[in-house]
Amino acid sequence: MENSEKITVPELMKLKGKRKIVALTAYDYLFARIVDNAGVDFILVGDSVGTTYQGLSSTIPVKMEEMLYHTRIVKRGVSRALVVGDMPFMSYQASMDDAIFNAGLFLKEGAGAVKLEGGVAVSLIVEKMVLSGIPVMGHIGLTPQSVNLFGGYKIQGRNESSVKRIINDAKALVEAGVFSIVLEGMPEEVAREITETISVPTIGIGAGGYCDGQILVITDLLGLDPTFTPKFVKKYKDLYAEVKEVVTEYISDVTSGNFPEESNVFHIKKGG
Ligand code: KIV
């Protein structure tokens, strides 16, 4: 695939077995433009905006109106990647009508697809969305919106019954018509079995190297939060330290009179 081609849902599906799919989250125009120009296949406007940008301790309080706002401003920075809007907690669980309506709002903001968490429990909702023309990405394993059920952010699929549940969830989602599934926080062996048995691409996060693609949260990859360094993240930079250093230098320049310099200053035109 040429780097300039727009990525659509069918294009993404065709990548399974051909090459690895690469994805990142983004929450605003600024980062979406960088990530898109670098060439990722899809950008997830994740409800992780709650923990990364809003200072929340979970994604549970994130609201529909906030997700729509972030989807809108991400979309402005993207010309190639598929934009996937993440449905927040209680925007799709309470009623079928709400679920379809809310999913449709993401598409009206320019998303090409939505993502929601859950397997068997949401399969009827997924089916109805797909029948309504809304492409859906599934998300199973350590689903952060179920943190209260799990009793914390715990790796799933560590015992036989949990493995069975995850595999059944994957199969139910495929039958319901998802075009891809995020596999989060599970043993590599489980993610491998799912990847090798289902027809749609799997996108891993904390699920090992056998998935059809990988996704990371942009702030984790860039090292923007020094308090969060999970095992599954590869931290490519320590941007927290680098940005802090720049700001410290700026403070010093302003207080010492080194900024602004002559080149930063406007003057009245002589004879003007
Ligand atoms: O909200 C998010 O960023 C996600 C990814 C971790 C897959 O759901």
Side-chain angles (χ1 to χ4, degrees):
M1 184 176 303
E2 284 303 308
N3 228 23
S4 58
E5 266 180 53
K6 223 169 152 41
I7 308 279
T8 61
V9 164
E11 292 289 344
L12 199 90
M13 293 179 82
K14 276 191 239 155
L15 294 176
K16 186 174 175 95
K18 293 214 177 86
R19 70 152 169 87
K20 294 277 187 181
I21 295 167
V22 189
L24 277 173
T25 67
Y27 314 101
D28 55 29
Y29 168 79
L30 189 71
F31 275 104
R33 189 173 54 165
I34 298 171
V35 165
D36 186 48
N37 285 337
V40 300
D41 298 307
F42 76 87
I43 295 176
L44 174 70
V45 187
D47 65 351
S48 52
V49 71
T51 48
T52 55
Y53 273 49
Q54 297 177 345
L56 295 168
S57 57
S58 84
T59 56
I60 303 288
V62 176
K63 298 181 179 71
M64 255 312 281
E65 71 233 44
E66 292 165 350
M67 291 309 301
L68 294 178
Y69 166 74
H70 286 285
T71 302
R72 192 179 317 139
I73 63 175
V74 161
K75 182 62 190 169
R76 280 184 205 141
V78 177
S79 53
R80 176 180 171 271
L82 177 71
V83 173
V84 181
D86 204 6
M87 299 198 69
F89 183 63
M90 276 305 134
S91 67
Y92 56 96
Q93 294 94 335
S95 87
M96 182 72 88
D97 287 351
D98 278 0
I100 309 296
F101 183 77
N102 285 330
L105 293 180
F106 278 97
L107 266 59
K108 285 180 189 285
E109 294 295 352
V114 298
K115 176 176 84 57
L116 51 81
E117 297 183 9
V120 173
V122 295
S123 57
L124 281 179
I125 293 168
V126 170
E127 203 175 320
K128 188 80 195 289
M129 285 178 181
V130 175
L131 285 172
S132 309
I134 302 166
V136 181
M137 178 177 281
H139 183 168
I140 57 174
L142 197 184
T143 43
Q145 291 174 17
S146 300
V147 61
N148 292 307
L149 264 184
F150 297 151
Y153 296 97
K154 297 182 178 154
I155 298 298
Q156 302 296 299
R158 289 233 204 239
N159 59 48
E160 212 177 308
S161 65
S162 179
V163 171
K164 257 193 199 149
R165 182 177 51 81
I166 297 174
I167 291 174
N168 284 341
D169 281 341
K171 286 182 180 160
L173 287 175
V174 174
E175 272 174 32
V178 294
F179 69 92
S180 172
I181 305 179
V182 171
L183 305 181
E184 177 164 358
M186 66 181 70
E188 184 173 69
E189 297 78 8
V190 180
R192 183 179 187 174
E193 182 173 342
I194 293 170
T195 302
E196 288 174 355
T197 49
I198 68 172
S199 54
V200 303
T202 59
I203 312 296
I205 174 162
Y210 290 96
C211 296
D212 297 305
Q214 295 290 326
I215 184 163
L216 280 177
V217 167
I218 183 82
T219 49
D220 295 344
L221 168 105
L222 296 177
L224 277 164
D225 181 357
T227 66
F228 189 65
T229 47
K231 175 183 164 77
F232 62 85
V233 170
K234 180 169 176 186
K235 192 166 157 177
Y236 286 81
K237 283 272 175 198
D238 185 358
L239 279 198
Y240 177 87
E242 288 188 36
V243 172
K244 191 167 169 234
E245 200 180 304
V246 170
V247 175
T248 307
E249 202 178 325
Y250 169 67
I251 292 170
S252 156
D253 277 354
V254 172
T255 52
S256 67
N258 281 344
F259 177 82
E261 295 171 6
E262 183 51 31
S263 62
N264 307 122
V265 174
F266 301 105
H267 292 289
I268 297 171
K269 267 193 194 150
K270 281 189 188 119

